[in-house]
Amino acid sequence: MTNPLPDYTELVDTAVGAYWDVRRSQAERSQAQEGVLNPGLRAEVTGGRHFDELHALLVRVFIDAGIPAHLIDVKKRPVAGYFRRSKSWDVVVMVADRVAGIIELKSMGPNDPGKNFNNRTDEALGQAVDIWTAVERGIIDTPLRPWLGYFMLLEDNPAFTTAVKPQGAVWPPDPAFDESSYADRYGIFFERMVRERLLDAACVALGDKSTGSVRFPSDALSFQAFAAAIHGRCLQFMATNPDIDWNAPPPESAPDRG
């Protein structure tokens, strides 16, 4: 049985606050260097490592769910597809060479949210369809269905929270999008991705850049719900892999010969 679900509220705030801190430090470092090539927002995200704390938090959820830390191998890995050879996902959690979970992490600042909304949602939809088609065609052949999660972090500001003036469309759009902001649209998108089983779980977080505080457009897309889905996956994963010794102690570290 998996362990009780902890309250991750403070840990999420801390991880998102660390994300903004890294972005700020990267931008300041880039601007201080002579011959800056990545000014402004681009400098904040091209330095890498800005998701480190969120990566660590996601791994902690798997451990909290009952998978021993010493059995987990986590890396950014390519996952085979059908329409293309493979695509790297940000967090691939493996135990004994078996995939326990696959998670993508993305973030969006206020720079042209309209254009980037379509880019991000197209990417998320394409990644999921590519994997599930590979499963259907037997390219991904595994006894246990892959588990896909998506974490989307949006900057909590009017660029995302103000209703968008709609453009004319060839056919009338779904009324669910009427008077919606981009944050609302991300919420609708990811809720429907989960409903249609294109994703197993999703989290959409609105993070305040100045305070690090986090809120969610819906309870279904909260980090707590996302963590609960991971816990359920871990219960399934451990039950279907009884040959793994889940109670084995960690290997002893090599003696210090210094």
Side-chain angles (χ1 to χ4, degrees):
M1 179 178 292
T2 55
N3 299 325
L5 183 69
D7 183 350
Y8 290 102
T9 303
E10 292 185 5
L11 293 173
V12 173
D13 286 354
T14 299
V16 171
Y19 168 87
W20 297 126
D21 288 343
V22 172
R23 283 187 54 153
R24 276 191 292 269
S25 65
Q26 288 172 348
E28 291 167 359
R29 186 164 57 249
S30 177
Q31 292 165 5
Q33 293 172 350
E34 185 176 356
V36 173
L37 297 178
N38 293 327
L41 287 172
R42 180 167 174 77
E44 297 181 3
V45 296
T46 55
R49 306 190 67 84
H50 47 291
F51 269 132
D52 280 4
E53 291 296 324
L54 284 164
H55 284 175
L57 177 56
L58 289 170
V59 175
R60 174 172 178 161
V61 176
F62 280 85
I63 296 169
D64 288 344
I67 296 183
H70 65 277
L71 296 181
I72 293 178
D73 179 25
V74 184
K75 293 179 182 176
K76 182 172 184 175
R77 287 184 169 93
V79 178
Y82 174 76
F83 297 99
R84 50 194 174 184
R85 179 187 180 277
S86 62
K87 171 70 171 69
S88 288
W89 286 65
D90 289 317
V91 177
V92 181
V93 180
M94 299 189 69
V95 178
D97 295 326
R98 301 163 203 177
V99 178
I102 304 170
I103 303 173
E104 187 77 349
L105 291 88
K106 294 295 182 186
S107 63
M108 281 296 308
N111 189 22
D112 197 358
K115 176 182 176 181
N116 287 319
F117 171 82
N118 285 332
N119 290 343
R120 286 290 189 236
T121 52
D122 287 350
E123 181 181 19
L125 179 60
Q127 283 180 261
V129 169
D130 200 21
I131 284 185
W132 297 129
T133 308
V135 171
E136 291 172 359
R137 299 294 190 271
I139 296 168
I140 296 176
D141 185 11
T142 178
L144 188 61
R145 183 182 188 269
W147 190 94
L148 305 183
Y150 216 98
F151 181 97
M152 174 63 70
L153 174 60
L154 309 175
E155 185 174 331
D156 194 351
N157 63 41
F160 287 103
T161 58
T162 302
V164 181
K165 183 178 180 180
Q167 294 181 327
V170 177
W171 290 282
D174 187 336
F177 293 99
D178 290 350
E179 303 297 324
S180 61
S181 65
Y182 284 114
D184 296 329
R185 294 181 184 185
Y186 273 110
I188 294 168
F189 173 81
F190 280 108
E191 284 185 347
R192 292 182 175 185
M193 288 284 284
V194 174
R195 187 181 308 152
E196 300 299 328
R197 296 200 76 201
L198 290 168
L199 292 172
D200 293 284
C203 177
V204 177
L206 284 160
D208 188 299
K209 191 172 183 179
S210 60
T211 67
S213 64
V214 180
R215 62 189 182 97
F216 306 95
S218 76
D219 291 339
L221 298 173
S222 70
F223 190 86
Q224 203 67 15
F226 192 68
I230 293 175
H231 273 236
R233 169 59 171 190
C234 290
L235 179 63
Q236 178 195 41
F237 184 81
M238 289 185 286
T240 52
N241 289 280
D243 58 307
I244 297 175
D245 187 354
W246 299 106
N247 297 314
E252 295 183 5
S253 59
D256 186 358
R257 302 183 185 278

